Amino acid sequence: MRVRREVRVSGIVQGVGFRPYVYRLASGLGLTGAIRNTPAGVAIEVQGAPEVVASFVARLPREAPALARVTEIAIREIPCNGGSGFQILASRVGEPVRALIAPDVAICEDCLRELFDPADRRYLYPFINCTNCGPRFTIVRDIPYDRARTSMARFPMCPACMREYDDIRDRRFHAQPNACWDCGPCLTLWDSKGDPVAGNDPVRETARRLAAGEIVAIKGLGGFHLAADAANSSAVRELRHRKRRIEKPFALMVPDLAAASRLCELDEGACMILQSRQRPVVLLPKKSTAEIAAEVAPGQADFGVFLPYTPLHYLLFAAGKFPALVMTSGNLSEEPIAIDNREAVRRLGGVADSFLVHNRDILLRCDDSVVRPADGNLRQIRRSRGYVPAPVELRRDVAPILAVGGELKSTICLTRGKLAFLSQHIGDLEDAESFGFFREAVEHLSKILDIEPQTIAYDLHPGYLSTQWALEQRGPRRVGVQHHHAHIVSCMAENGLEGKVIGIALDGTGYGTDGNIWGGEILLADAERFERAAHFAYIPMPGGEAAIREPWRMAVAYLAQAFGDGFLALNVPFVRGLSREKVRMILRMVERGVNSPLTSSCGRLFDAVAALIGLRQTVNYEAQAATELEAAARRSDDADAYAFDLEQQDGCWRIGTRTLFEAILADLRRNLPEEQISRRFHNGLAAALARLASLLRERSSLNQVCLSGGVFLNGLLTANLVRTLRDSGFEVSTHAQVPAGDGGLSLGQAIVASAAPDIAVEKKNAQTTSVASIFQ
């Protein structure tokens, strides 16, 4: 007896060696049939004895290639036929797109070995790849994933490459970017004006220029890097000057784990992340003996380190023998990364001394991902290359929704069924070029996923460009989602949670339903609605956004709120160093309510403490003061904790700070070092939040806590709070798949919008708010 089954597989099954894997599996079992790519994934027909077909189906997902990700298998019985053998057929078009595109991944060990083998025909070829490695997401135009629908379409394969491509036994079978010296992309070195540099070895010449202290723009997988010798202080200083990146840390690419271990503290988990096929930038504790220019990461406890992930990277290190290279995004600060050769010269001609370019088009820019090891896992800080567009799996089906994120660290999210697709890191939507990238990401991701959203979710802040764009769209319904509600639901979604939770959302800025700036919120929330159960007491932000750039203003605001004008008599270095004229100006602004919006932001509290203890009076990038405050705290093991004031008003808890600042001032007068004060602040904040969670559990009987928001990128605070909550019997969920900051916001927006009723009514109670406060 023989049976025939049609097996349709969805997921990441194109461009990852899945068809040859199925061919080998079916042929090895003696089954007949065929496989083809479809817009939905792959379609397989297998025929043979019932028990053998059943074995094939059972083994299919279990033994799939490493880069494959099976999300769904649908099986149906079909009539037997008289065919023989197993075939790979041409792709089928005309069906709804359901296949998932694989992320770009690092060069595999086989290709790396061939790259440096003088006997191999691809010896030193900078674009060597196979089905197990190389570009995917950044070269694809459309689905199905075939060469004609990628930026490799312009490079017809030579006979040797075509034989590999057609040979089922070859690991380059149907590898769409397959190429070699004779038929594939090539490198060229240009000067700062975009004119070719004479010579026949652009890699060796680039290495020579880097060693001489030059800055070189290098085209990679998802865009350009700006590279410099990380041991050359003058080169790094010049890169900072030209890039207009005053103090924000640079990422370091190192040739191997041994080099990484000379710069950072490594454990087994960190080594695994560094060597993973995603090859993210990994934040790791600095070693004091690291021979790296001090200008690479000033004021930081960590280096951001990553290993080479393209053949070109390995060739550069082989040619130059560098212990480390600065590899930072090819842009001016906060702009989108450059991807086109001439665009790079236009935008970066004043930064780079030369350009190492190639002629394989990058169709969608995609920055490096950034992660931090935590509790044996990793926490995403910037989710991009290597992870995108792999989906987050949801607990239930969701209608097609587009969520457009916030303003800073922007991403978008598209949903389909039980899958949520977050875009790569878009950046801060504060200028025309970033907004253009945002629109490009919406168009491209919607196209390759074939998702036409029925709903668009957006942040309530009326000034965000993403919100304004959403409100201009016609057709889909539009759902406004409160910022911190989205944060908590994002954490719930990636952890597969439903029902109500205690959500602690801490960040710098989020538009509140009362028109104030929120940022220190404890919510009782589910996907449909939330209650603001507690928050940090409101404080004025003197000068508005100027208070973010100048943390000393927040310190003055907190001291004035706690002690009135008398704080000017305090005998501590911070107060003694203040300009009385500026302070009087600020106090008048606050008194008159001029450009001094109220905020409950926990991020602004970090700023104030950092300024008060002398760490940082002004900042050059977002969260700089908070990052340096955490770095100081990590230098101390003090177990003491500062107290916060908790008081209940109209059913809502307020977190006050007078007692906190009294204690900090007392320790300053005792000349306690900054690291000890910072540690006590971190300890006290974790204790206060855990105490509030316990008070809310008594009232609500909820035992599940979700932590979200940019403040939880602070690894010390997060670990401390998680430990304290779990010691108190709470179940605690944090972020791992998506960032805790605004890079994960769009996921929460999408899930909140999916729960929105067709007609949403704004609640009059300021403390309890419907899922859609603005719903058009």
Side-chain angles (χ1 to χ4, degrees), residues 374-375 379 630 634 682 686 707 709-725 732 734-735 740:
D375 303 325
R379 298 201 191 283
E630 178 191 2
R634 288 181 177 276
H682 280 77
L707 309 181
V711 169
F712 288 113
L713 298 177
N714 181 317
L716 177 63
L717 175 66
T718 303
N720 195 339
L721 180 55
V722 168
R723 181 176 60 253
T724 305
L725 288 168
V732 186
T734 59
H735 288 278

Side-chain angles (χ1 to χ4, degrees), residues 688-702:
L689 294 169
R691 173 62 179 149
L692 266 174
S694 295
L695 291 170
L696 293 174
R697 178 170 58 184
E698 293 173 8
R699 176 191 134 192
S700 65
S701 299
L702 296 174

Side-chain angles (χ1 to χ4, degrees), residues 8 16 22 93 112 307 309 356 375 430 726:
R8 289 183 173 264
V16 294
V22 171
V93 297
L112 188 58
L307 297 183
Y309 56 86
L356 184 59
D375 303 325
E430 297 180 322
R726 287 177 177 163

